[in-house]
Amino acid sequence: MAKQLDYHTIREIFTRFQAREPEPKGELEHVNAYTLLVAVALSAQATDAGVNKATRNLFPIADTPQKMLELGEDRLIEQIKTIGLYRNKARNVMKLSKILVEDYDGIVPNSRAALQSLPGVGRKTANVVLNMWWHYPAQAVDTHIFRVGNRSGICPGKTVDVVERAIEDNVPVDFQQHAHHWLILHGRYHCKARKPLCGTCLIRDLCQFEDKNL
């Protein structure tokens, strides 16, 4: 695990990220807060591309909690059976849809606590929804961010909670809104787990990763 980088280095890193991708976007396809919530819940231990492939047929017929309940669990399973852990995920989607209809008038709540009270919704899922739909500077730490943060020194930590706090504490506020997207994209396409592309990395001169593959 690298040491925490200083303020000026982190600012330079995110200045470069911003120059390369001024408005980074999450890659999960959605049409409203509810479909975003469902897509993120389905994406656990699955790829965004795999989730998108399944939801392109699902969301046109079930883009609200009420429509999802009318669709039913068996038909939902048929739609998402290409996604890992699909049975458990289908069960949670039906449960959270029922709660949204009964307790929230079918509207997705915009507080972290309320989101995390829903079946199958953890802190990371809640943070993604808060960030992508309500533009709240929440930091959703996944395996890509955890890896990049610890290799580079941008936001090192032994747990995802520590890494999340390191982003909040050390990344300049003007970069907070898109910070987790920049880090995810960097980890997904450049700072890969097995074969990081250090030779063409945008921040290789600032990164503290000791095993750089040049």
Side-chain angles (χ1 to χ4, degrees), residues 117-178:
S117 72
L118 299 172
V121 178
R123 185 178 181 89
K124 189 185 84 170
T125 296
N127 281 350
V128 172
V129 175
L130 290 172
N131 182 284
M132 289 182 62
W133 192 256
W134 284 287
H135 308 296
Y136 180 78
Q139 308 302 332
V141 178
D142 68 353
T143 56
H144 296 301
I145 293 179
F146 190 80
R147 179 174 66 255
V148 172
N150 278 292
R151 279 179 175 175
S152 66
I154 296 171
C155 46
K158 293 183 178 181
T159 69
V160 293
D161 289 341
V162 173
V163 171
E164 180 183 331
R165 179 58 60 85
I167 298 173
E168 294 174 346
D169 289 349
N170 296 290
V171 174
V173 69
D174 46 319
F175 295 119
Q176 287 279 335
Q177 175 63 49
H178 296 311

Side-chain angles (χ1 to χ4, degrees), residues 15-198:
T15 297
R16 295 181 189 183
F17 285 160
Q18 185 180 56
R20 180 173 62 187
E21 188 75 35
E23 293 290 332
K25 305 291 183 184
E27 297 182 333
L28 287 172
E29 297 172 4
H30 59 282
V31 296
N32 55 30
Y34 174 71
T35 54
L36 174 60
L37 175 63
V38 171
V40 180
L42 293 177
S43 71
Q45 299 181 48
T47 65
D48 289 358
V51 173
N52 289 338
K53 186 176 180 180
T55 58
R56 282 177 193 140
N57 292 322
L58 172 64
F59 290 157
I61 59 175
D63 61 353
T64 69
Q66 185 61 49
K67 289 180 181 178
M68 189 68 75
L69 293 176
E70 292 169 358
L71 182 70
E73 188 171 329
D74 289 342
R75 290 176 64 194
L76 173 58
I77 286 174
E78 283 299 310
Q79 295 286 343
I80 66 170
K81 63 184 179 182
T82 56
I83 301 173
L85 306 174
Y86 64 91
R87 291 188 183 279
N88 188 55
K89 290 177 180 178
R91 193 175 306 116
N92 283 332
V93 168
M94 299 310 294
K95 287 180 179 178
L96 72 83
S97 297
K98 188 172 186 289
I99 292 172
L100 289 175
V101 169
E102 294 180 350
D103 297 346
Y104 296 96
D105 297 322
I107 299 172
V108 177
N110 61 353
S111 84
R112 184 183 285 116
L115 287 167
Q116 285 189 247
S117 72
L118 299 172
V121 178
R123 185 178 181 89
K124 189 185 84 170
T125 296
N127 281 350
V128 172
V129 175
L130 290 172
N131 182 284
M132 289 182 62
W133 192 256
W134 284 287
H135 308 296
Y136 180 78
Q139 308 302 332
V141 178
D142 68 353
T143 56
H144 296 301
I145 293 179
F146 190 80
R147 179 174 66 255
V148 172
N150 278 292
R151 279 179 175 175
S152 66
I154 296 171
C155 46
K158 293 183 178 181
T159 69
V160 293
D161 289 341
V162 173
V163 171
E164 180 183 331
R165 179 58 60 85
I167 298 173
E168 294 174 346
D169 289 349
N170 296 290
V171 174
V173 69
D174 46 319
F175 295 119
Q176 287 279 335
Q177 175 63 49
H178 296 311
H180 92 274
H181 280 132
W182 281 316
L183 292 169
I184 287 172
L185 293 173
H186 189 67
R188 183 174 292 164
Y189 298 112
H190 300 280
C191 193
K192 300 179 180 182
R194 294 184 179 180
K195 293 184 178 180
L197 306 179
C198 299

